[in-house]
Amino acid sequence: MPYDLREIAAISGMSGLYRLVRPAHNGVLVETLDAQGRRSVASARNKVSLLHEISIYTQDPEQTVPLTEVFDRIYQKYGQELPVTHKSDEAALSQFMGEVVPEYDRQRVYLSDIKKLVSWYGAVSSRLTYQSAEAAAGNEAAVQAEENDPTTNTLSTAGAVPDQSEAADDAAENPEAGGSKATRSRKKSEE
């Protein structure tokens, strides 16, 4: 994954791309992917589309090309400077797309999609560093190892919900914290 797109998102109702910072009380805290890096909260009502989950349709209905691979193809062919912009004419944009993803489905990939791809690539390439395939493979392996590690808690409850070992310790120390109904009712009858 040459560009790490796991934390980059497009958000409905908000123009541009955003880096996800952390969950917030009423949505998610995001930072613009531009020079200013302004932070704001994307409401829970907004649809958040992570770029690493987006793919381009191909002529084979069973096959798509992930956006990370498309960005890699663009970088390999053009580097950071594209020959087109999102304001280029339809013929130039279609030719660009045909050079990058020759197998793209011309019926399901619209001109607006190509314009969005070009503008997204410009935003990503200006703010993120391109990683070589070896470095990307190393980072991907580290992420997979962390995801598969049972000691790593990827979803945090910020201590609001203790894990099972903490709950058992609390129950042993505090008779009112745990135990069955029968134990609690027996304790009430003893009082």
Side-chain angles (χ1 to χ4, degrees):
M1 178 171 7
Y3 286 114
D4 187 4
L5 302 179
R6 289 182 299 235
E7 294 182 354
I8 308 301
I11 302 171
S12 67
M14 300 171 74
S15 63
L17 292 178
Y18 296 85
R19 185 178 65 84
L20 303 178
V21 177
R22 66 174 180 267
H25 177 65
N26 57 351
V28 63
L29 182 64
V30 296
E31 181 178 79
T32 59
L33 202 64
D34 58 12
Q36 289 84 20
R38 295 179 307 264
R39 289 187 173 192
S40 60
V41 175
S43 169
R45 291 179 288 188
N46 295 64
K47 181 181 177 195
V48 176
S49 301
L50 296 172
L51 264 54
H52 82 278
E53 295 177 348
I54 297 174
S55 295
I56 302 292
Y57 291 116
T58 63
Q59 294 171 355
D60 179 2
E62 302 294 319
Q63 194 73 10
T64 60
V65 180
L67 195 58
T68 54
E69 184 179 329
V70 174
F71 279 13
D72 186 37
R73 291 180 185 184
I74 293 171
Y75 185 85
Q76 296 301 325
K77 188 162 183 76
Y78 300 106
Q80 291 184 334
E81 296 299 320
L82 297 181
V84 294
T85 67
H86 66 281
K87 294 183 179 183
S88 297
D89 66 344
E90 185 175 345
L93 288 167
S94 296
Q95 179 183 355
F96 166 77
M97 190 67 177
E99 290 173 358
V100 174
V101 186
E103 69 273 18
Y104 87 96
D105 188 339
R106 285 147 178 80
Q107 299 297 317
R108 295 191 293 173
V109 177
Y110 302 111
L111 181 62
S112 61
D113 298 328
I114 300 171
K115 288 180 178 183
K116 196 178 297 184
L117 172 73
V118 168
S119 69
W120 285 357
Y121 181 80
V124 166
S125 66
S126 68
R127 298 295 294 165
L128 300 179
T129 57
Y130 182 84
Q131 300 175 354
S132 66
E134 296 82 28
N139 287 345
E140 186 65 29
V143 168
Q144 288 295 329
E146 184 178 316
E147 288 175 355
N148 294 333
D149 183 5
T151 62
T152 304
N153 185 6
T154 57
L155 295 176
S156 172
T157 58
V161 179
D163 67 1
Q164 296 298 63
S165 63
E166 289 176 12
D169 291 343
D170 288 345
E173 293 173 10
N174 184 354
E176 294 179 2
S180 65
K181 281 187 174 180
T183 306
R184 284 184 283 200
S185 63
R186 185 174 49 229
K187 287 181 183 175
K188 282 187 176 180
S189 64
E190 290 174 359
E191 293 175 352

